[in-house]
Amino acid sequence: MNSKDLNSMLATAMEKKSKLLELYQDISSQMPDPNLQEEITRNILSSEKKHAALLQKLMQKLSDKATSVNGEKSDPARTRIADPETKNELAIDVNNDIEGQSSFTAESRREGNQLKVLIITPNQDSYISKYYANHNYRNSLSNYIGRDLSSGDIYHSFLHFDMQPLSKQARIIKANLVLNLCRNEVAYNNPVLTIRPVIEAWNESTITWNTQPQSSTTEHYSTEIKPKHFRFLNIDISDLAREWHQHPEHNQGFIITGLENNGLLGFRSRRYFEESKRPTLLVEFTLDGH
């Protein structure tokens, strides 16, 4: 079997593995009891994720080998894409670690265009449950807010983005929080998602309902979400991002809450196996001061 055939087989296996992982995750997300969700995550999803990671490594090795044969040096931390809007080439530096900071910067090479984009994933995220007030959910593949109308349990989610990858000389034009909704049981349109800054330090490995940090009483952002709406949700948190950038000591992340009488919402966490569906902070900025 040549490397081309092997790579094709690995790609097919990876595709099937991704679909299987998504199926297991969907099954897990429908479990009303968070303990059952964690059991599925620990015993099934963790094993499946290891298999998917192995497939990815094999595919990367084959790709690196093919590149070296062609006489080009492979750099997995740098790639180039075309901007679909301007057709200009973008240089992208990638630094990705699921257990730490994950970010990349895209910069337009068109002369005179100084706008850059930094994409950051959370360095911490977790959710808490009122009914399981001493339980920590740091390993969950999804986070939840609102009330589970079947059990009556209430959920809040916490996220923290480290702004250190952004230059101190940067001027933030816009910062969007991007969440991938995976569960939507809201019954009617209403302000069902609210963001408030956290004002105390917290740790995703120890946070519970009983140990949750204090947060601001002022709503920073509130939005409506339609019933049965899924996929990506974009939330402008530019003011918060600017505050964190100018005063890093104020950055304790934020809490996301939902209405407690309008159903449950879920979105993928930073540990979700598919990187494109993890939470991200999309920061547009310039360095020219204009």
Side-chain angles (χ1 to χ4, degrees):
M1 179 183 299
N2 58 40
S3 60
K4 184 177 180 181
D5 291 338
L6 181 57
N7 196 41
S8 177
M9 291 177 65
L10 284 171
T12 300
M14 191 65 197
E15 181 180 1
K16 291 182 178 180
K17 180 64 68 177
S18 294
K19 291 181 179 179
L20 184 60
L21 274 166
E22 191 158 354
L23 174 62
Y24 280 135
Q25 177 58 25
D26 287 341
I27 293 172
S28 173
S29 67
Q30 298 303 316
M31 295 292 177
D33 185 345
N35 289 327
L36 290 177
Q37 293 181 10
E38 186 177 18
E39 190 72 16
I40 292 177
T41 300
R42 184 170 60 249
N43 293 314
I44 300 178
L45 287 172
S46 60
S47 176
E48 294 294 335
K49 286 169 66 179
K50 289 179 182 178
H51 295 163
L54 177 60
L55 288 173
Q56 281 187 318
K57 286 182 179 179
L58 289 172
M59 293 177 70
Q60 183 63 51
K61 285 185 178 180
L62 284 174
S63 176
D64 291 345
K65 182 178 180 181
T67 302
S68 62
V69 169
N70 292 332
E72 298 178 359
K73 187 177 180 180
S74 174
D75 184 357
R78 187 166 181 85
T79 186
R80 307 185 81 87
I81 62 173
D83 183 341
E85 296 288 337
T86 64
K87 305 302 182 183
N88 292 321
E89 187 179 59
L90 299 179
I92 298 181
D93 292 307
V94 180
N95 175 14
N96 183 25
D97 178 4
I98 189 171
E99 291 302 328
Q101 183 62 46
S102 175
S103 65
F104 70 79
T105 304
E107 176 182 358
S108 175
R109 296 303 186 189
R110 184 175 61 186
E111 186 176 357
N113 185 354
Q114 299 297 319
L115 184 66
K116 301 183 180 183
V117 178
L118 177 69
I119 299 180
I120 311 172
T121 58
N123 60 326
Q124 290 200 102
D125 73 349
S126 188
Y127 74 92
I128 57 176
S129 160
K130 186 174 183 179
Y131 280 14
Y132 299 87
N134 292 313
H135 197 85
N136 174 265
Y137 297 97
R138 63 187 178 277
N139 293 320
S140 176
L141 299 182
S142 299
N143 292 314
Y144 300 96
I145 63 171
R147 181 189 289 270
D148 184 345
L149 297 181
S150 61
S151 68
D153 201 0
I154 298 173
Y155 302 88
H156 297 164
S157 288
F158 291 81
L159 285 86
H160 184 278
F161 291 88
D162 187 355
M163 301 296 289
Q164 287 188 359
L166 184 62
S167 168
K168 292 182 179 180
Q169 286 71 45
R171 183 172 69 93
I172 295 177
I173 305 301
K174 189 174 184 180
N176 267 12
L177 172 67
V178 183
L179 303 176
N180 180 245
L181 293 180
C182 59
R183 189 167 179 176
N184 184 347
E185 298 174 2
V186 299
Y188 51 87
N189 290 3
N190 222 320
V192 295
L193 185 150
T194 299
I195 292 176
R196 290 181 285 119
V198 171
I199 57 177
E200 291 182 327
W202 55 281
N203 188 309
E204 66 176 359
S205 298
T206 58
I207 189 172
T208 67
W209 187 276
N210 285 340
T211 65
Q212 62 181 296
Q214 291 187 354
S215 56
S216 170
T217 57
T218 303
E219 293 182 358
H220 175 79
Y221 184 89
S222 182
T223 187
E224 293 184 0
I225 298 177
K226 296 180 179 179
K228 299 183 180 180
H229 172 81
F230 289 95
R231 299 191 178 180
F232 292 98
L233 182 66
N234 291 279
I235 304 170
D236 187 343
I237 60 168
S238 301
D239 291 344
L240 268 183
R242 293 188 187 103
E243 174 71 13
W244 297 337
H245 182 233
Q246 295 170 6
H247 303 282
E249 69 277 11
H250 295 173
N251 182 10
Q252 303 294 349
F254 52 86
I255 181 175
I256 306 180
T257 59
L259 285 184
E260 297 180 359
N261 61 351
N262 193 22
L264 188 69
L265 283 172
F267 58 91
R268 302 305 187 190
S269 77
R270 75 184 189 95
R271 290 177 173 78
Y272 191 62
F273 65 91
E274 200 170 337
E275 290 183 26
S276 63
K277 294 183 178 180
R278 297 171 190 166
T280 56
L281 185 61
L282 184 66
V283 183
E284 299 178 17
F285 67 98
T286 63
L287 293 174
D288 57 4
H290 301 292

